[in-house]
Amino acid sequence: MVEIKKVSTKPYNDQKPGTSGLRKRVKVFQQENYTENFIQATLHTVENGAKGATLVVGGDGRYYLDEVMQIIIKFSLGAGVSKLIVPVNGLISTPAGSHLIRKYKATGGILLTASHNPGGPDKDFGIKYNVKNGGPAPEGVTNKIFETSKQLKELVYADIPKVDYSKIGDQQIGDMTLHVIDGIDDYVELMKEIFDFDEIKSFLATNKSFKVLFDGMHGVTGIYGHRLFLQEFGLSEASIMRSTPLPDFGGEHPDPNLTYAHELVERVNKDQIDFGAASDGDGDRNMVLGKNAFVTPSDSVAVIAHYARDVIPYFKKHGIHGLARSMPTSRALDLVAKKQGLELFEVPTGWKFFGNLMDAHRCSICGEESFGTGSDHVREKDGVWAVLAWLSIVVHLNKTKPGTSVYDILQNHYKIYGRNFFSRYDYEEVESEKANDVIENLRSLSANKQLIGKTFNGFRVSEVDDFSYKDPIDGSVSSHQGMRVFFDDGSRFVLRLSGTGSHGATIRLYVEKYSNNPAEYTDDTQKALRPLIDVALEISRLQHYTGRDKPTVIT
């Protein structure tokens, strides 16, 4: 007989989930009843009530995972949850978690991750609730969690000893079943339904000189990379690096970009790796590299969309219903949509906006400039999926033209569509007040229209607006999603604040310039964009308001 306890608690007023759940420093979650309150509020919000529900629970292996897993198990018992589906050791990538929710028709899932943010005792932790379609909880649900958290007076949980979920099998704890599964098997089976594993394996077996290197960044996808590249594709240990998940990600920032994945970049260049790739802490982001080639996330989704119907069995079978990108992402995908006669959606940043389109069969492939790419196979962006999509494209094109490289694929794409030069400047941990001043300055310039018609270093301003999105499926409106400044030549820059950090604010500056001049296709991105970047900094007065003379990260 399991004893259910009820104890009083005091609410916190800062438990409002963002687009990717509640993210805070570990020490915040370790405050008295802080985590317990949020879990209780989340269970109160489960669709049709937590009693009798089936939930998927797991995370990316970061510090404080086990402690929170134990809390969830105890509070799920207290709430009358019928079953918890838990991967061995609690390790599950975010896209794989989305798949489990969908496959097992779970009520929802609680994913423990702060994604690409650093881990460790002094770093970040996160708790995110996904609904029954496998996607992040929509705003109506997260608002309800927040409102509930502010009114909590009582915690209800089971008084049980620590639960072991290190072995596959079922455990009966009171009236609840703890179903421990292999966290990799189901996901790999899904990937086999999407991609031609035999073709990939055959190519790698007959092209021994073709070098592959996958960087797990000591995040959760290391275990998926080990299974895929070694067991499924028959490659050696040399094809993977940093594949062991660590609570602090090896002291590194598990974000797959040129700055934080510099070790991979150096290895690709030094060892002449043909295909290099990385994924982040929880497996929803990706980066693809080749000899003398870095694939920007904006180009990545455009290239995948261009080849999808010819190369990837899943899309050969199901077709492509439409394409979508986040507003800051370059418009390279728009050109593919136009050429292929597909519907194109421009949505705010946040994967949940793609989910509505996918559920309505209006979108099949989508992407964000923040190294997130995915399709309607799950309702989260999927780093490993994107890596396999690119590997499939490389393998397919090498059948007809041996030696085709990642660089060649990019250049051929530019010959068809032109090139969208694109870069993002991140200014991390800016004081919130100063960050807001930057946005408010642009907002006032938009309102009084004083920039329209003005020329800055040859760039004439044609429009300034604050991006707003009306969801074509449910009619909901999302306002103030980022300031956009357009120029007569089709160039633009975007400024927005990111809500996915746990400390201060991150200002993101996005700059884009289109060229259909073949002589420019091989130009260095930063050199090509430098004049426009200078204009963006001048108009935004970013340095004036923040005191920052350079970004933290450039991608």
Side-chain angles (χ1 to χ4, degrees):
M1 183 73 177
V2 171
E3 181 186 357
I4 303 299
K5 286 193 170 184
K6 295 181 180 182
V7 299
S8 61
T9 190
K10 293 181 180 178
Y12 289 87
N13 292 316
D14 64 343
Q15 296 190 330
K16 182 175 176 59
T19 56
S20 299
L22 183 70
R23 293 184 187 174
K24 304 282 183 183
R25 294 293 198 209
V26 167
K27 292 190 185 312
V28 174
F29 279 103
Q30 289 174 328
Q31 295 176 93
E32 184 181 7
N33 287 341
Y34 191 92
T35 300
E36 288 84 347
N37 279 18
F38 189 72
I39 295 301
Q40 185 81 78
T42 300
L43 290 169
H44 275 319
T45 313
V46 170
E47 185 179 9
N48 297 321
K51 187 173 179 59
T54 295
L55 300 175
V56 172
V57 180
D60 60 11
R62 69 179 56 237
Y63 184 87
Y64 205 49
L65 174 76
D66 183 54
E67 291 86 342
V68 181
M69 291 285 293
Q70 298 296 334
I71 291 169
I72 292 171
I73 293 169
K74 291 179 179 181
F75 277 70
S76 294
L77 268 163
V81 170
S82 174
K83 179 189 283 189
L84 292 183
I85 300 172
V86 175
V88 169
N89 297 319
L91 293 176
I92 193 82
S93 75
T94 292
S98 175
H99 174 55
L100 289 182
I101 294 169
R102 295 168 64 80
K103 177 176 179 178
Y104 292 103
K105 294 180 170 53
T107 312
I110 302 176
L111 302 179
L112 306 177
T113 175
S115 190
H116 55 287
N117 291 0
D122 298 314
K123 299 300 182 182
D124 293 355
F125 193 78
I127 303 175
K128 146 177 169 168
Y129 183 67
N130 281 33
V131 292
K132 65 182 180 181
N133 76 342
E139 200 167 0
V141 175
T142 56
N143 285 343
K144 190 175 177 184
I145 292 173
F146 181 44
E147 290 305 316
T148 302
S149 76
K150 291 190 294 184
Q151 299 166 28
L152 271 184
K153 294 180 180 178
E154 186 178 66
L155 299 176
V156 182
Y157 63 94
D159 186 16
I160 57 172
K162 186 175 180 179
V163 175
D164 179 10
Y165 46 89
S166 64
K167 296 180 179 64
I168 293 173
D170 284 356
Q171 300 176 43
Q172 196 65 33
I173 311 172
D175 293 329
M176 184 178 79
T177 301
L178 187 73
H179 183 52
V180 182
I181 64 171
D182 183 299
I184 306 173
D185 283 348
D186 290 302
Y187 180 79
V188 171
E189 285 306 311
L190 176 64
M191 292 301 104
K192 287 182 176 180
E193 293 172 11
I194 295 171
F195 301 104
D196 190 336
F197 271 41
D198 290 338
E199 185 173 67
I200 294 172
K201 186 174 182 178
S202 174
F203 171 80
L204 295 173
T206 55
N207 291 269
K208 298 292 187 183
S209 62
F210 187 89
K211 296 181 182 178
V212 173
L213 183 59
F214 177 76
D215 184 359
M217 302 192 81
H218 288 308
V220 73
T221 48
I223 59 177
Y224 296 85
H226 191 281
R227 170 73 173 271
L228 289 165
F229 291 102
L230 273 62
Q231 292 180 237
E232 298 294 339
F233 300 147
L235 297 179
S236 71
E237 291 273 356
S239 66
I240 57 175
M241 61 184 281
R242 298 195 289 183
S243 62
T244 303
L246 297 175
D248 66 348
F249 305 109
E252 300 291 335
H253 195 141
D255 194 356
N257 58 45
L258 296 175
T259 299
Y260 295 127
H262 61 88
E263 190 177 337
L264 171 67
V265 177
E266 291 159 8
R267 287 275 307 276
V268 168
N269 292 333
K270 177 186 167 205
D271 300 338
Q272 288 293 285
I273 301 294
D274 297 282
F275 184 81
S279 189
D280 70 329
D282 73 324
D284 65 354
R285 294 186 174 199
N286 75 94
M287 179 174 71
V288 173
L289 302 164
K291 291 178 184 175
N292 306 310
F294 160 61
V295 183
T296 71
S298 297
D299 282 347
S300 180
V301 66
V303 170
I304 291 172
H306 172 76
Y307 287 107
R309 281 189 283 212
D310 295 328
V311 174
I312 300 172
Y314 178 86
F315 296 111
K316 288 181 184 178
K317 179 179 179 180
H318 299 289
I320 299 177
H321 304 301
L323 305 175
R325 62 170 174 83
S326 65
M327 179 273 287
T329 302
S330 97
R331 291 166 289 186
L333 187 64
D334 305 35
L335 301 173
V336 177
K338 184 177 180 181
K339 187 176 181 65
Q340 296 195 3
L342 295 169
E343 205 171 13
L344 186 283
F345 298 92
E346 181 181 40
V347 308
T349 297
W351 207 257
K352 60 187 178 185
F353 295 102
F354 295 124
N356 266 6
L357 297 170
M358 290 174 178
D359 287 344
H361 303 292
R362 299 276 293 276
C363 173
S364 297
I365 298 172
C366 52
E368 298 178 329
E369 48 65 41
S370 54
F371 294 86
T373 322
S375 86
D376 57 358
H377 67 289
V378 291
R379 294 299 181 267
E380 292 276 7
K381 51 196 170 204
D382 190 345
V384 171
W385 174 90
V387 170
L388 292 178
W390 261 91
L391 185 56
S392 298
I393 291 167
V394 172
V395 168
H396 179 82
L397 294 178
N398 269 270
K399 285 199 308 185
T400 53
K401 190 177 180 182
T404 299
S405 66
V406 172
Y407 177 86
D408 296 332
I409 293 169
L410 287 175
Q411 290 302 315
N412 288 336
H413 189 83
Y414 302 151
K415 288 174 185 175
I416 298 169
Y417 295 101
R419 182 173 180 184
N420 294 73
F421 288 95
F422 179 86
S423 185
R424 186 180 95 189
Y425 278 30
D426 287 358
Y427 298 80
E428 297 177 350
E429 299 193 352
V430 177
E431 289 179 37
S432 295
E433 186 177 346
K434 293 179 178 179
N436 284 320
D437 286 344
V438 176
I439 298 298
E440 287 305 318
N441 171 55
L442 277 176
R443 202 163 273 155
S444 65
L445 291 173
S446 171
N448 61 33
K449 300 188 181 302
Q450 67 183 67
L451 282 179
I452 307 301
K454 284 192 174 182
T455 299
F456 298 82
N457 195 23
F459 292 92
R460 186 175 183 272
V461 178
S462 60
E463 185 183 353
V464 182
D465 72 3
D466 191 348
F467 181 61
S468 179
Y469 175 71
K470 183 175 181 180
D471 193 301
I473 309 305
D474 63 20
S476 61
V477 175
S478 301
S479 304
H480 305 305
Q481 296 296 312
M483 298 304 303
R484 304 187 295 181
V485 179
F486 298 91
F487 300 93
D488 283 350
D489 68 346
S491 300
R492 67 168 184 160
F493 75 84
V494 175
L495 260 169
R496 59 178 288 272
L497 303 185
S498 170
T500 58
S502 68
H503 187 70
T506 296
I507 299 175
R508 302 201 195 280
L509 168 64
Y510 314 84
V511 183
E512 178 183 8
K513 171 194 164 193
Y514 175 74
S515 173
N516 58 5
N517 179 1
E520 297 180 352
Y521 294 164
T522 58
D523 287 358
D524 175 78
T525 297
Q526 294 304 317
K527 286 181 180 176
L529 290 174
R530 188 70 251 176
L532 185 56
I533 290 169
D534 290 340
V535 168
L537 292 173
E538 178 184 355
I539 292 174
S540 68
R541 302 186 70 200
L542 191 148
Q543 185 173 347
H544 166 77
Y545 287 110
T546 66
R548 300 286 186 93
D549 59 358
K550 61 182 179 180
T552 314
V553 179
I554 298 175
T555 49

